[in-house]
Amino acid sequence: MAPLLLQLAGLGAALLASALILISFVAFITATEMPDLHRHEQEKFFLNARGQKETLPSIWDSPTKQLSVVVPSYNEEKRLPVMMDEALSYLEKRQKQDPTFTYEVIVVDDGSKDQTSEVAFKYCQKYGSDKVRVITLVKNRGKGGAIRMDQMAIACGSRAHLEKESIAQRSYFRTLLMYGFHFLVWFLCVKGIRDTQCGFKLLTREAASRTFSSLHIERWAFDVELLYIAQFFKIPIAEIAVNWTEIEGSKLVPFWSWLQMGKDLLFIRLRYLTGAWRLQQPRKVN
C-alpha cells in the first residue's frame, strides 16, 4: 500500500511540475512587450467648456496643478454624478480655504455605450475645462488601460495624482471572493498590502509616470501589477483608511472577473519570473 501511495504522490508531483512548466511556457510566448497605446485622432483632443477642441497636454510638461483626480468610467451615466458632486464639492471647499491649492478632475470615458461623456461634460461646462476635462476613448481598454492612456496625456500635469474609481463597490460575495484573491496576491505578487484593489491610489507625479509607463495589465488586475512595480522600484507605500459606500450598478461580474484576475496574477508572476517582462532599476524616487 505504501509503495503505491508513494508512486501516486510521485506521479502527482510530476503532473504538477509539468503543468507549471507548460503554463510558464504559455505565459512566456504569449507575453507582449507593452500594450499598444496608439491613440485615435479624436483621442488627442478634448472639448473645452465652450465645446471647442483643444489639444491634450502631456504628463511630461511642467506641472501646473497640485492634484489630478483621474476617474476611469465605463457606462457610468447614472452613477457618475454621485461621485462627481461629492468630489467637486470637497475640492472646491478646499480651494476656498486655501487659494493656493489647485486641482483638476479628468474623466476618462473608456469607450462607453451610454451617455457617460455627455454627463461628465456638464461638469466641464459648470466648473470650466481648467478644472474638469473629459477624455473619450474610441474603444474600451479596461480600467488600467484607461488610466494608463490618461498618463500619456494627463491634462495640465500635476505634482500629485489620484486614481479614483467612479464608485466603490462592496458586497458579502465580493468580500468572500476578495479573501481568496488577497491570498493569491500575497502568494504570487505583492506582500504587505491589505487591499490592493482599493479604488483610491494617490501617487506623486514621478511615481505615477514610473509605474504606469511600465504597466502591462489593462483590466481589473492592473492594480496588483502597479503595486508589484512600485515595490520593485522601492517606492514607499502606505495604506490609509477611507470611508467606502456601495452604490448599485457595478460592472464587475464577480465569478468571471475574479477568475480572470486569478489568471492575470499567475501570468504577472510567471512573466516577470521568466524574463518575458523586465523592469529596469531607476534612480531613487521620493
Side-chain angles (χ1 to χ4, degrees):
M1 186 67 177
L4 178 60
L5 290 176
L6 288 175
Q7 289 179 354
L8 290 175
L11 178 61
L15 290 174
L16 183 62
S18 299
L20 184 59
I21 292 172
L22 178 61
I23 293 172
S24 299
F25 178 72
V26 171
F28 184 86
I29 63 174
T30 58
T32 55
E33 286 293 322
M34 200 67 67
D36 181 21
L37 272 185
H38 170 73
R39 283 186 293 165
H40 293 268
E41 190 64 27
Q42 68 187 72
E43 296 174 346
K44 298 177 182 179
F45 303 91
F46 71 95
L47 296 180
N48 61 27
R50 297 183 300 276
Q52 299 170 329
K53 280 188 177 181
E54 290 190 24
T55 304
L56 282 169
S58 169
I59 192 175
W60 310 114
D61 295 341
S62 298
T64 61
K65 303 288 184 183
Q66 288 181 316
L67 179 69
S68 289
V69 182
V70 179
V71 186
S73 304
Y74 178 67
N75 292 342
E76 295 287 7
E77 65 178 3
K78 295 181 179 179
R79 301 199 305 166
L80 187 63
V82 179
M83 176 260 140
M84 293 291 283
D85 288 339
E86 184 177 350
L88 287 164
S89 174
Y90 167 78
L91 293 168
E92 285 291 291
K93 181 178 178 181
R94 180 173 173 181
Q95 191 172 66
K96 287 179 181 178
Q97 294 173 342
D98 178 10
T100 64
F101 171 72
T102 56
Y103 75 89
E104 62 185 356
V105 177
I106 306 170
V107 179
V108 185
D109 180 351
D110 189 20
S112 297
K113 296 183 172 99
D114 64 2
Q115 302 297 307
T116 294
S117 286
E118 288 78 3
V119 170
F121 186 66
K122 290 179 181 178
Y123 290 91
C124 173
Q125 293 175 313
K126 180 178 179 179
Y127 292 91
S129 54
D130 183 58
K131 290 183 176 179
V132 180
R133 298 189 184 187
V134 182
I135 301 176
T136 303
L137 305 185
V138 172
K139 66 176 183 178
N140 178 264
R141 293 176 176 267
K143 182 183 168 188
I147 297 173
R148 186 163 177 257
M149 176 63 74
D150 171 75
Q151 289 298 309
M152 306 309 293
I154 197 166
C156 296
S158 59
R159 297 181 181 89
H161 168 93
L162 174 67
E163 174 259 306
K164 188 178 189 299
E165 289 186 12
S166 55
I167 294 292
Q169 319 99 24
R170 185 70 67 181
S171 67
Y172 290 115
F173 185 53
R174 182 179 184 271
T175 301
L176 180 64
L177 289 174
M178 183 66 79
Y179 279 121
F181 182 74
H182 282 172
F183 173 76
L184 290 177
V185 169
W186 174 85
F187 184 73
L188 294 171
C189 300
V190 176
K191 292 178 172 59
I193 304 296
R194 294 180 62 187
D195 187 0
T196 60
Q197 304 311 108
C198 176
F200 280 36
K201 290 185 176 63
L202 180 67
L203 302 91
T204 63
R205 180 182 175 83
E206 185 175 2
S209 61
R210 169 58 64 179
T211 52
F212 279 101
S213 64
S214 303
L215 196 66
H216 300 81
I217 300 295
E218 294 192 320
R219 297 290 169 179
W220 293 102
F222 91 94
D223 303 79
V224 178
E225 190 189 5
L226 182 75
L227 291 167
Y228 180 92
I229 294 168
Q231 288 188 338
F232 176 86
F233 289 148
K234 300 189 184 325
I235 299 173
I237 302 172
E239 287 186 279
I240 299 174
V242 295
N243 292 326
W244 218 238
T245 304
E246 178 178 359
I247 293 182
E248 295 298 326
S250 170
K251 305 304 179 296
L252 185 144
V253 181
F255 179 78
W256 295 112
S257 295
W258 294 115
L259 194 64
Q260 175 67 41
M261 285 193 217
K263 187 204 78 172
D264 286 343
L265 289 180
L266 181 61
F267 276 27
I268 288 171
R269 179 61 178 165
L270 291 176
R271 282 168 174 167
Y272 280 114
L273 190 65
T274 59
W277 292 346
R278 300 174 185 272
L279 295 172
Q280 295 184 350
Q281 187 67 45
R283 56 190 175 83
K284 184 178 178 180
V285 176
N286 293 324

